Amino acid sequence: MTKKLRIYRAFLSAGMQEVSTYRVNWIFYMAGNVMACFVSYFIWKAVFLSGNNNSLNGFTMSQMIVYIFLMFLTSTMTSSGGTYDIGEEIRDGTIAMRMIKPISYNATFLFQELGNKIMTICLLIIPMVIGVEAVRYNFTGEVQFEITNFLIYVVSCVFAYLINFFFNISFGFIAFVIKYLWGANMMKNCIVGFLSGTVIPLSFLPSGLEKICLLLPFASLNYTPVMIYLGIYKGSTLLYYLGLQLFWVLVLWGLSKLIWKISTKHLTVQGG
Amino acid sequence: MIKVENLRKEFKKTVKEPGLAGSFKSLFHPKSERVVAVNDISFHVPKGEILGFIGPNGAGKSTVIKMLTGILTPTSGTCTINGKNPTENRKSYVKEIGVVFGQRTQLWWDLPLRETYGVLKEMYEVPDDSYKERMSFLNEVLELEAFITSPVRTLSLGQRMRADIAASLLHSPKVLFLDEPTIGLDVVVKDNIRKAIAQINEREQTTVILTTHDLADIELLADRIVMIDKGSNVFDGTISELKSRYGRIRELHLETNTKNAEKALGYREHFHFSDDDLKVEQEGSSVKVRFNSDTVSVSDMLAYTLKMVNVKDISVKDADIEEIIRRLYRQGV
Ligand SMILES: Nc1ncnc2c1ncn2[C@@H]1O[C@H](COP(=O)(O)OP(=O)(O)OP(=O)(O)O)[C@@H](O)[C@H]1O
Ligand SMILES: [Mg+2]
């Protein structure tokens, strides 16, 4: 076990070095995300200002703004580029180089991305949390930060990331086998963005649809951690949603293993 | 050690008709076509042998190597290495082999070389003392010291290739697959790499399969040759067998002031050479004649030449393996 960890630690540190080697790239990527976040902030502000009520589906404007910024923080922490990376590796044939090594393909990917994530989180989480709390304080006049909620939120984000990772790996292989990777990826991002509550809170949906969405793995990606941070999921509800997340982690992990087994048989490694 | 039987690989390829209209057409009705990259290939390699695996561009060499290393699954046929099937139980299989693809690296682009070897050590569970001993040996033959602290992406082609070969040998593999390991290297580096391969093979009885377009690699290293073309076996045997099987091509060089020597000499009419057995080239006063010495003996050829034209200088050369292979590739056998 420790031996295994030592192998994968190298991938972890390679992932961390990637961020510092390609830091300009990283900065632009983050800046793009921040801008997208502000765009949605202004849109929602306009929506609230044009309406007569100061609450929309039970959300006040201040809650909505906190929601947007938290969504941004969460999706930064739980995003995974597996689909795209796998597509690239298959396209240029570097996947072969992972296949000739006595290690798990998925695990090397996971640790490399985790290395990347750790750097990102170290750089972003403190300013982001302070920012979110400042907005909340500004609207309510009191500090609402709860350390237990925050710690459970972090755990929930780890589950969310794993779900996202295994889902993206599986999707990447399927999409590549059917050969429409790029378009399929766009479509996937759109659908997942909607179903995970990044675009609008799931509680805005008709209640039947909301119930279904909450069961799907996508709600576990962003919506669940945000609800935990905000202290909306409590007690047995909290345990239920954490259990659901764990369930999806296991299911998608199994699925990704299965798909890897099947798709390597059909893989065409190009070049050379 | 290595058994390859009736190996076959087909690829599905989507064909696009030319032009914009073709693009639209293939968007809605993609047509696919089967490409047979490897048709039917069989060979055996005993333990400790270095096999030269050659063939013209597009013959299917890399595809075979990919199947032997478990990267591609064969359409039909089998390959067994050490009694193992590469596509079953991949992780335990790849522990016993070393692989180098000359055109791409297996090293991590962003890691310094030394760290890369550290990772490989853990991955292949190489004990500390044999790792040390191994590294100093590889350092000696491949001269890695100068760039061992640099990240892989900053290495030159030759440095990277040396680093890659060292990486493939770190865990003392039983079988080594080398797909064009000397591509794009200078003569000194080529020499060092050949030396490393020969030494490892001798010390550890490593079985080696080597594809290359540099026939010097073959002549210096290979115990045996397997030649393929269009996905099928063409020849399987030693270099001397190749030479005797495909005729003894000799090269006659002469200096003469005769303007059209070929016509004046009239070899073809006199000796009844077939098209493949004779080739005459003239450049100014120097004439090159390649002929099959099984059809006409060297002494007959010399005597006849001296009789027909006025010769200032003449010499006969044994054709090298390169010439034989050139002939084989050109004919497509
Ligand atoms: N992914 C693929 N899809 C379709 N055809 C392919 C694919 N890969 C290889 N081929 C075809 O299979 C044939 C054999 O290719 P391969 O790469 O094995 O040749 P090679 O003997 O290694 O040639 P070279 O000496 O040029 O490296 C070629 O005709 C090639 O066009
Ligand atoms: Mg090749």
Side-chain angles (χ1 to χ4, degrees):
Chain A
M1 191 63 204
T2 52
K3 239 183 218 149
K4 279 215 160 137
L5 282 181
R6 250 189 295 171
I7 299 171
Y8 294 119
R9 200 187 57 199
F11 286 91
L12 202 68
S13 77
M16 290 168 82
Q17 281 176 23
E18 252 167 40
V19 174
S20 53
T21 312
Y22 305 106
R23 53 187 164 291
V24 178
N25 191 4
W26 184 88
I27 289 168
F28 275 116
Y29 177 76
M30 282 303 150
N33 277 357
V34 171
M35 274 187 239
C37 176
F38 275 95
V39 167
S40 86
Y41 164 77
F42 286 117
I43 291 173
W44 281 109
K45 203 171 158 185
V47 169
F48 273 97
L49 291 179
S50 68
N52 302 327
N53 316 338
N54 42 13
S55 124
L56 203 66
N57 291 319
F59 267 75
T60 63
M61 184 157 130
S62 64
Q63 279 173 328
M64 195 64 219
I65 288 165
V66 170
Y67 182 87
I68 291 166
F69 284 100
L70 265 182
M71 248 325 158
F72 164 69
L73 175 65
T74 312
S75 57
T76 306
M77 284 170 63
T78 63
S79 69
S80 172
T83 305
Y84 180 77
D85 292 345
I86 284 182
E88 281 301 297
E89 288 217 347
I90 297 176
R91 195 196 317 282
D92 66 17
T94 43
I95 192 171
M97 297 300 123
R98 289 189 203 246
M99 290 175 75
I100 57 173
K101 298 275 159 51
I103 38 170
S104 151
Y105 179 83
N106 292 351
T108 59
F109 244 129
L110 176 67
F111 279 86
Q112 211 168 330
E113 196 168 65
L114 274 178
N116 218 305
K117 282 271 116 100
I118 289 172
M119 287 296 274
T120 307
I121 289 168
C122 286
L123 291 169
L124 274 190
I125 194 158
I126 292 172
M128 278 306 300
V129 169
I130 291 174
V132 167
E133 290 305 324
V135 172
R136 280 171 109 187
Y137 180 78
N138 186 25
F139 282 114
T140 60
E142 51 191 310
V143 179
Q144 295 195 324
F145 183 73
E146 285 239 18
I147 188 74
T148 37
N149 280 353
F150 178 73
L151 291 177
I152 302 170
Y153 165 79
V154 171
V155 173
S156 175
C157 279
V158 172
F159 287 157
Y161 169 71
L162 291 173
I163 294 171
N164 207 8
F165 174 80
F166 291 122
F167 174 74
N168 272 287
I169 290 260
S170 309
F171 188 83
F173 278 112
I174 292 174
F176 203 84
V177 170
I178 62 171
K179 296 240 159 95
Y180 295 102
L181 184 72
W182 191 80
N185 200 18
M186 288 296 281
M187 195 175 79
K188 181 209 75 183
N189 286 344
C190 243
I191 293 175
V192 170
F194 183 77
L195 293 178
S196 67
T198 316
V199 184
I200 50 168
L202 294 180
S203 59
F204 281 24
L205 300 175
S207 84
L209 196 57
E210 184 195 349
K211 282 209 178 80
I212 296 170
C213 284
L214 285 175
L215 278 179
L216 294 178
F218 310 109
S220 291
L221 294 183
N222 296 324
Y223 195 68
T224 305
V226 170
M227 290 297 120
I228 291 172
Y229 188 105
L230 292 175
I232 293 172
Y233 288 167
K234 285 199 272 280
S236 61
T237 324
L238 176 70
L239 285 180
Y240 166 76
Y241 281 107
L242 281 177
L244 190 64
Q245 278 193 310
L246 192 60
F247 167 78
W248 281 119
V249 171
L250 295 175
V251 168
L252 287 163
W253 172 67
L255 187 71
S256 72
K257 268 189 128 66
L258 186 71
I259 286 177
W260 158 257
K261 270 232 162 73
I262 298 169
S263 56
T264 45
K265 293 239 179 327
H266 299 283
L267 209 65
T268 306
V269 175
Q270 336 226 15
Chain B
M1 190 68 176
I2 300 178
K3 271 191 206 141
V4 176
E5 252 138 44
N6 308 104
L7 209 56
R8 181 182 175 85
K9 180 73 192 178
E10 292 168 5
F11 289 112
K12 240 201 228 142
K13 200 160 106 184
T14 41
V15 281
K16 184 185 108 39
E17 284 163 43
L20 195 60
S23 296
F24 271 108
K25 225 168 146 188
S26 61
L27 190 59
F28 298 108
H29 286 285
K31 253 195 248 163
S32 70
E33 159 181 288
R34 258 193 267 174
V35 182
V36 180
V38 172
N39 185 17
D40 178 7
I41 286 187
S42 310
F43 58 85
H44 289 206
V45 192
K47 186 174 164 57
E49 187 174 82
I50 302 184
L51 180 80
F53 191 50
I54 57 176
N57 286 136
K61 303 179 295 294
S62 297
T63 309
V64 170
I65 300 275
K66 282 178 195 162
M67 286 191 276
L68 293 180
T69 49
I71 295 168
L72 289 179
T73 311
T75 308
S76 67
T78 55
C79 48
T80 3
I81 294 106
N82 281 330
K84 284 190 180 150
N85 179 339
T87 45
E88 278 163 24
N89 210 343
R90 179 186 67 89
K91 274 197 233 174
S92 88
Y93 170 68
V94 294
K95 264 198 164 156
E96 298 181 354
I97 64 169
V99 188
V100 175
F101 288 100
Q103 304 89 330
R104 57 167 53 111
T105 180
Q106 57 182 307
L107 308 168
W108 291 279
W109 208 233
D110 293 316
L111 282 187
L113 199 50
R114 190 194 297 282
E115 247 174 84
T116 302
Y117 292 139
V119 177
L120 290 173
K121 170 186 178 293
E122 301 299 338
M123 225 181 251
Y124 290 100
E125 298 173 61
V126 183
D128 286 334
D129 42 346
S130 49
Y131 175 73
K132 269 206 193 103
E133 195 239 353
R134 198 75 179 168
M135 275 319 287
S136 71
F137 166 73
L138 292 171
N139 238 326
E140 195 183 306
V141 278
L142 295 168
E143 293 166 23
L144 307 169
E145 207 59 67
F147 48 85
I148 198 148
T149 52
S150 323
V152 172
R153 69 189 128 83
T154 65
L155 301 185
S156 82
L157 175 64
Q159 291 170 336
R160 202 219 76 209
M161 199 78 90
R162 279 184 276 166
D164 249 298
I165 289 178
S168 74
L169 290 171
L170 204 64
H171 53 292
S172 312
K174 291 184 186 148
V175 185
L176 186 59
F177 296 95
L178 304 169
D179 191 358
E180 304 194 35
T182 54
I183 190 170
L185 302 182
D186 75 40
V187 271
V188 179
V189 175
K190 266 189 195 177
D191 265 351
N192 285 349
I193 283 179
R194 286 174 192 146
K195 232 180 271 165
I197 296 169
Q199 275 190 34
I200 290 280
N201 166 259
E202 197 164 317
R203 266 174 41 147
E204 284 157 22
Q205 294 297 299
T206 312
T207 312
V208 182
I209 293 192
L210 166 77
T211 85
T212 180
H213 289 294
D214 183 340
L215 292 170
D217 291 344
I218 299 290
E219 283 190 285
L220 292 169
L221 287 172
D223 301 308
R224 222 177 86 218
I225 299 177
V226 166
M227 192 192 294
I228 65 168
D229 190 15
K230 300 195 184 78
S232 303
N233 283 74
V234 171
F235 175 83
D236 183 341
T238 61
I239 294 179
S240 55
E241 276 169 0
L242 181 75
K243 281 187 174 167
S244 65
R245 168 104 61 103
Y246 288 99
R248 295 199 169 280
I249 302 297
R250 296 298 174 101
E251 215 172 84
L252 198 67
H253 267 267
L254 53 130
E255 291 288 323
T256 176
N257 45 23
T258 312
K259 280 273 142 47
N260 191 345
E262 183 165 14
K263 202 163 158 222
L265 282 158
Y267 290 127
R268 218 174 286 274
E269 295 75 28
H270 184 77
F271 290 116
H272 307 291
F273 277 114
S274 70
D275 275 352
D276 286 336
D277 286 344
L278 179 80
K279 193 156 195 258
V280 183
E281 282 163 15
Q282 181 163 19
E283 224 174 84
S285 66
S286 97
V287 182
K288 233 197 254 173
V289 183
R290 286 201 203 100
F291 68 100
N292 186 342
S293 65
D294 285 346
T295 317
V296 178
S297 75
V298 176
S299 57
D300 286 353
M301 200 64 182
L302 272 177
Y304 176 74
T305 308
L306 291 171
K307 198 175 80 191
M308 297 303 283
V309 293
N310 183 12
V311 174
K312 280 195 265 178
D313 185 21
I314 190 162
S315 65
V316 188
K317 252 185 22 191
D318 202 0
D320 45 6
I321 173 174
E322 189 158 340
E323 181 54 37
I324 296 175
I325 285 175
R326 184 177 299 137
R327 253 167 40 111
L328 282 176
Y329 283 5
R330 209 183 300 126
Q331 290 169 1
V333 181

PDB file of all heavy atoms in Angstrom, chain A residues 65-67 69-70 73 126-138 229-230:
ATOM      1  N   ILE A  65     -26.778  35.684  -4.657  1.00  0.00           N
ATOM      2  CA  ILE A  65     -25.398  36.084  -4.934  1.00  0.00           C
ATOM      3  C   ILE A  65     -24.408  35.171  -4.225  1.00  0.00           C
ATOM      4  O   ILE A  65     -23.420  34.717  -4.811  1.00  0.00           O
ATOM      5  CB  ILE A  65     -25.193  37.565  -4.560  1.00  0.00           C
ATOM      6  CG1 ILE A  65     -25.945  38.409  -5.600  1.00  0.00           C
ATOM      7  CG2 ILE A  65     -23.721  37.939  -4.560  1.00  0.00           C
ATOM      8  CD1 ILE A  65     -26.140  39.833  -5.192  1.00  0.00           C
ATOM      9  N   VAL A  66     -24.709  34.876  -2.991  1.00  0.00           N
ATOM     10  CA  VAL A  66     -23.854  33.937  -2.271  1.00  0.00           C
ATOM     11  C   VAL A  66     -23.826  32.591  -3.006  1.00  0.00           C
ATOM     12  O   VAL A  66     -22.779  31.969  -3.171  1.00  0.00           O
ATOM     13  CB  VAL A  66     -24.363  33.757  -0.819  1.00  0.00           C
ATOM     14  CG1 VAL A  66     -23.640  32.603  -0.145  1.00  0.00           C
ATOM     15  CG2 VAL A  66     -24.158  35.037  -0.047  1.00  0.00           C
ATOM     16  N   TYR A  67     -25.013  32.186  -3.471  1.00  0.00           N
ATOM     17  CA  TYR A  67     -25.118  30.925  -4.207  1.00  0.00           C
ATOM     18  C   TYR A  67     -24.208  30.920  -5.437  1.00  0.00           C
ATOM     19  O   TYR A  67     -23.482  29.969  -5.699  1.00  0.00           O
ATOM     20  CB  TYR A  67     -26.574  30.703  -4.623  1.00  0.00           C
ATOM     21  CG  TYR A  67     -26.816  29.399  -5.358  1.00  0.00           C
ATOM     22  CD1 TYR A  67     -27.078  28.237  -4.653  1.00  0.00           C
ATOM     23  CD2 TYR A  67     -26.776  29.341  -6.750  1.00  0.00           C
ATOM     24  CE1 TYR A  67     -27.299  27.040  -5.324  1.00  0.00           C
ATOM     25  CE2 TYR A  67     -26.983  28.153  -7.424  1.00  0.00           C
ATOM     26  CZ  TYR A  67     -27.249  27.007  -6.708  1.00  0.00           C
ATOM     27  OH  TYR A  67     -27.456  25.820  -7.372  1.00  0.00           O
ATOM     28  N   PHE A  69     -21.498  32.698  -6.079  1.00  0.00           N
ATOM     29  CA  PHE A  69     -20.064  32.652  -5.782  1.00  0.00           C
ATOM     30  C   PHE A  69     -19.652  31.303  -5.205  1.00  0.00           C
ATOM     31  O   PHE A  69     -18.576  30.786  -5.520  1.00  0.00           O
ATOM     32  CB  PHE A  69     -19.675  33.810  -4.863  1.00  0.00           C
ATOM     33  CG  PHE A  69     -19.608  35.108  -5.604  1.00  0.00           C
ATOM     34  CD1 PHE A  69     -20.646  36.032  -5.555  1.00  0.00           C
ATOM     35  CD2 PHE A  69     -18.510  35.398  -6.412  1.00  0.00           C
ATOM     36  CE1 PHE A  69     -20.602  37.213  -6.273  1.00  0.00           C
ATOM     37  CE2 PHE A  69     -18.450  36.581  -7.137  1.00  0.00           C
ATOM     38  CZ  PHE A  69     -19.510  37.494  -7.068  1.00  0.00           C
ATOM     39  N   LEU A  70     -20.529  30.724  -4.416  1.00  0.00           N
ATOM     40  CA  LEU A  70     -20.218  29.397  -3.875  1.00  0.00           C
ATOM     41  C   LEU A  70     -20.164  28.338  -4.967  1.00  0.00           C
ATOM     42  O   LEU A  70     -19.329  27.439  -4.954  1.00  0.00           O
ATOM     43  CB  LEU A  70     -21.289  28.993  -2.868  1.00  0.00           C
ATOM     44  CG  LEU A  70     -20.988  29.289  -1.409  1.00  0.00           C
ATOM     45  CD1 LEU A  70     -22.143  28.768  -0.558  1.00  0.00           C
ATOM     46  CD2 LEU A  70     -19.686  28.660  -0.970  1.00  0.00           C
ATOM     47  N   LEU A  73     -16.852  28.587  -6.591  1.00  0.00           N
ATOM     48  CA  LEU A  73     -15.798  27.968  -5.775  1.00  0.00           C
ATOM     49  C   LEU A  73     -15.880  26.439  -5.856  1.00  0.00           C
ATOM     50  O   LEU A  73     -14.880  25.760  -6.090  1.00  0.00           O
ATOM     51  CB  LEU A  73     -15.969  28.420  -4.312  1.00  0.00           C
ATOM     52  CG  LEU A  73     -15.030  27.765  -3.296  1.00  0.00           C
ATOM     53  CD1 LEU A  73     -13.594  28.146  -3.572  1.00  0.00           C
ATOM     54  CD2 LEU A  73     -15.414  28.171  -1.871  1.00  0.00           C
ATOM     55  N   ILE A 126      -8.764  30.303   0.278  1.00  0.00           N
ATOM     56  CA  ILE A 126      -8.856  31.327   1.326  1.00  0.00           C
ATOM     57  C   ILE A 126      -9.445  32.641   0.803  1.00  0.00           C
ATOM     58  O   ILE A 126     -10.431  33.133   1.358  1.00  0.00           O
ATOM     59  CB  ILE A 126      -7.504  31.504   2.030  1.00  0.00           C
ATOM     60  CG1 ILE A 126      -7.221  30.223   2.825  1.00  0.00           C
ATOM     61  CG2 ILE A 126      -7.511  32.722   2.968  1.00  0.00           C
ATOM     62  CD1 ILE A 126      -5.851  30.145   3.429  1.00  0.00           C
ATOM     63  N   PRO A 127      -8.912  33.192  -0.304  1.00  0.00           N
ATOM     64  CA  PRO A 127      -9.558  34.416  -0.812  1.00  0.00           C
ATOM     65  C   PRO A 127     -11.025  34.209  -1.180  1.00  0.00           C
ATOM     66  O   PRO A 127     -11.857  35.073  -0.934  1.00  0.00           O
ATOM     67  CB  PRO A 127      -8.730  34.788  -2.045  1.00  0.00           C
ATOM     68  CG  PRO A 127      -7.798  33.660  -2.293  1.00  0.00           C
ATOM     69  CD  PRO A 127      -7.679  32.885  -1.038  1.00  0.00           C
ATOM     70  N   MET A 128     -11.357  33.033  -1.723  1.00  0.00           N
ATOM     71  CA  MET A 128     -12.743  32.801  -2.131  1.00  0.00           C
ATOM     72  C   MET A 128     -13.675  32.737  -0.927  1.00  0.00           C
ATOM     73  O   MET A 128     -14.755  33.340  -0.938  1.00  0.00           O
ATOM     74  CB  MET A 128     -12.855  31.481  -2.918  1.00  0.00           C
ATOM     75  CG  MET A 128     -12.479  31.569  -4.367  1.00  0.00           C
ATOM     76  SD  MET A 128     -13.368  32.834  -5.286  1.00  0.00           S
ATOM     77  CE  MET A 128     -15.048  32.271  -5.081  1.00  0.00           C
ATOM     78  N   VAL A 129     -13.251  31.978   0.102  1.00  0.00           N
ATOM     79  CA  VAL A 129     -14.116  31.861   1.276  1.00  0.00           C
ATOM     80  C   VAL A 129     -14.282  33.231   1.946  1.00  0.00           C
ATOM     81  O   VAL A 129     -15.397  33.620   2.322  1.00  0.00           O
ATOM     82  CB  VAL A 129     -13.555  30.812   2.263  1.00  0.00           C
ATOM     83  CG1 VAL A 129     -14.292  30.866   3.587  1.00  0.00           C
ATOM     84  CG2 VAL A 129     -13.673  29.419   1.653  1.00  0.00           C
ATOM     85  N   ILE A 130     -13.181  33.965   2.038  1.00  0.00           N
ATOM     86  CA  ILE A 130     -13.290  35.303   2.623  1.00  0.00           C
ATOM     87  C   ILE A 130     -14.246  36.164   1.806  1.00  0.00           C
ATOM     88  O   ILE A 130     -15.098  36.866   2.344  1.00  0.00           O
ATOM     89  CB  ILE A 130     -11.903  35.964   2.725  1.00  0.00           C
ATOM     90  CG1 ILE A 130     -11.069  35.221   3.781  1.00  0.00           C
ATOM     91  CG2 ILE A 130     -12.018  37.453   3.075  1.00  0.00           C
ATOM     92  CD1 ILE A 130      -9.635  35.686   3.878  1.00  0.00           C
ATOM     93  N   GLY A 131     -14.127  36.050   0.459  1.00  0.00           N
ATOM     94  CA  GLY A 131     -15.005  36.822  -0.428  1.00  0.00           C
ATOM     95  C   GLY A 131     -16.465  36.483  -0.184  1.00  0.00           C
ATOM     96  O   GLY A 131     -17.319  37.376  -0.007  1.00  0.00           O
ATOM     97  N   VAL A 132     -16.765  35.199  -0.163  1.00  0.00           N
ATOM     98  CA  VAL A 132     -18.145  34.752   0.028  1.00  0.00           C
ATOM     99  C   VAL A 132     -18.690  35.251   1.378  1.00  0.00           C
ATOM    100  O   VAL A 132     -19.803  35.778   1.470  1.00  0.00           O
ATOM    101  CB  VAL A 132     -18.237  33.211  -0.062  1.00  0.00           C
ATOM    102  CG1 VAL A 132     -19.580  32.717   0.456  1.00  0.00           C
ATOM    103  CG2 VAL A 132     -18.028  32.748  -1.493  1.00  0.00           C
ATOM    104  N   GLU A 133     -17.855  35.095   2.402  1.00  0.00           N
ATOM    105  CA  GLU A 133     -18.299  35.510   3.731  1.00  0.00           C
ATOM    106  C   GLU A 133     -18.494  37.025   3.809  1.00  0.00           C
ATOM    107  O   GLU A 133     -19.387  37.517   4.502  1.00  0.00           O
ATOM    108  CB  GLU A 133     -17.314  35.029   4.803  1.00  0.00           C
ATOM    109  CG  GLU A 133     -17.329  33.523   5.007  1.00  0.00           C
ATOM    110  CD  GLU A 133     -18.724  32.984   5.321  1.00  0.00           C
ATOM    111  OE1 GLU A 133     -19.505  33.660   6.020  1.00  0.00           O
ATOM    112  OE2 GLU A 133     -19.049  31.883   4.824  1.00  0.00           O
ATOM    113  N   ALA A 134     -17.659  37.758   3.076  1.00  0.00           N
ATOM    114  CA  ALA A 134     -17.792  39.216   3.055  1.00  0.00           C
ATOM    115  C   ALA A 134     -19.127  39.608   2.439  1.00  0.00           C
ATOM    116  O   ALA A 134     -19.833  40.490   2.944  1.00  0.00           O
ATOM    117  CB  ALA A 134     -16.636  39.837   2.289  1.00  0.00           C
ATOM    118  N   VAL A 135     -19.498  38.930   1.349  1.00  0.00           N
ATOM    119  CA  VAL A 135     -20.782  39.222   0.702  1.00  0.00           C
ATOM    120  C   VAL A 135     -21.930  38.926   1.674  1.00  0.00           C
ATOM    121  O   VAL A 135     -22.858  39.723   1.837  1.00  0.00           O
ATOM    122  CB  VAL A 135     -20.941  38.394  -0.592  1.00  0.00           C
ATOM    123  CG1 VAL A 135     -22.345  38.550  -1.166  1.00  0.00           C
ATOM    124  CG2 VAL A 135     -19.913  38.821  -1.624  1.00  0.00           C
ATOM    125  N   ARG A 136     -21.832  37.788   2.343  1.00  0.00           N
ATOM    126  CA  ARG A 136     -22.887  37.418   3.286  1.00  0.00           C
ATOM    127  C   ARG A 136     -22.992  38.443   4.422  1.00  0.00           C
ATOM    128  O   ARG A 136     -24.072  38.836   4.831  1.00  0.00           O
ATOM    129  CB  ARG A 136     -22.608  36.034   3.896  1.00  0.00           C
ATOM    130  CG  ARG A 136     -22.999  34.899   2.988  1.00  0.00           C
ATOM    131  CD  ARG A 136     -22.482  33.606   3.561  1.00  0.00           C
ATOM    132  NE  ARG A 136     -23.534  32.759   4.073  1.00  0.00           N
ATOM    133  CZ  ARG A 136     -23.307  31.619   4.743  1.00  0.00           C
ATOM    134  NH1 ARG A 136     -22.074  31.249   5.005  1.00  0.00           N
ATOM    135  NH2 ARG A 136     -24.298  30.884   5.156  1.00  0.00           N
ATOM    136  N   TYR A 137     -21.822  38.859   4.899  1.00  0.00           N
ATOM    137  CA  TYR A 137     -21.799  39.818   5.997  1.00  0.00           C
ATOM    138  C   TYR A 137     -22.410  41.146   5.572  1.00  0.00           C
ATOM    139  O   TYR A 137     -23.196  41.767   6.282  1.00  0.00           O
ATOM    140  CB  TYR A 137     -20.349  40.027   6.455  1.00  0.00           C
ATOM    141  CG  TYR A 137     -20.215  41.002   7.595  1.00  0.00           C
ATOM    142  CD1 TYR A 137     -20.507  40.600   8.903  1.00  0.00           C
ATOM    143  CD2 TYR A 137     -19.822  42.324   7.371  1.00  0.00           C
ATOM    144  CE1 TYR A 137     -20.397  41.492   9.943  1.00  0.00           C
ATOM    145  CE2 TYR A 137     -19.716  43.226   8.404  1.00  0.00           C
ATOM    146  CZ  TYR A 137     -20.004  42.801   9.698  1.00  0.00           C
ATOM    147  OH  TYR A 137     -19.903  43.684  10.732  1.00  0.00           O
ATOM    148  N   ASN A 138     -22.093  41.507   4.366  1.00  0.00           N
ATOM    149  CA  ASN A 138     -22.580  42.754   3.789  1.00  0.00           C
ATOM    150  C   ASN A 138     -24.108  42.793   3.761  1.00  0.00           C
ATOM    151  O   ASN A 138     -24.730  43.810   4.010  1.00  0.00           O
ATOM    152  CB  ASN A 138     -21.986  42.904   2.385  1.00  0.00           C
ATOM    153  CG  ASN A 138     -22.313  44.240   1.765  1.00  0.00           C
ATOM    154  OD1 ASN A 138     -22.558  45.208   2.491  1.00  0.00           O
ATOM    155  ND2 ASN A 138     -22.319  44.304   0.454  1.00  0.00           N
ATOM    156  N   TYR A 229     -22.666  23.833   2.626  1.00  0.00           N
ATOM    157  CA  TYR A 229     -21.977  25.045   3.064  1.00  0.00           C
ATOM    158  C   TYR A 229     -22.970  26.053   3.629  1.00  0.00           C
ATOM    159  O   TYR A 229     -22.746  26.677   4.661  1.00  0.00           O
ATOM    160  CB  TYR A 229     -21.212  25.661   1.886  1.00  0.00           C
ATOM    161  CG  TYR A 229     -20.310  26.808   2.270  1.00  0.00           C
ATOM    162  CD1 TYR A 229     -18.925  26.636   2.331  1.00  0.00           C
ATOM    163  CD2 TYR A 229     -20.819  28.078   2.559  1.00  0.00           C
ATOM    164  CE1 TYR A 229     -18.086  27.668   2.671  1.00  0.00           C
ATOM    165  CE2 TYR A 229     -19.985  29.123   2.915  1.00  0.00           C
ATOM    166  CZ  TYR A 229     -18.618  28.917   2.965  1.00  0.00           C
ATOM    167  OH  TYR A 229     -17.781  29.952   3.300  1.00  0.00           O
ATOM    168  N   LEU A 230     -24.088  26.177   2.934  1.00  0.00           N
ATOM    169  CA  LEU A 230     -25.085  27.155   3.355  1.00  0.00           C
ATOM    170  C   LEU A 230     -25.867  26.712   4.583  1.00  0.00           C
ATOM    171  O   LEU A 230     -26.690  27.454   5.105  1.00  0.00           O
ATOM    172  CB  LEU A 230     -26.069  27.425   2.206  1.00  0.00           C
ATOM    173  CG  LEU A 230     -25.479  28.158   1.004  1.00  0.00           C
ATOM    174  CD1 LEU A 230     -26.512  28.246  -0.119  1.00  0.00           C
ATOM    175  CD2 LEU A 230     -25.020  29.552   1.403  1.00  0.00           C
TER     176      LEU A 230
END
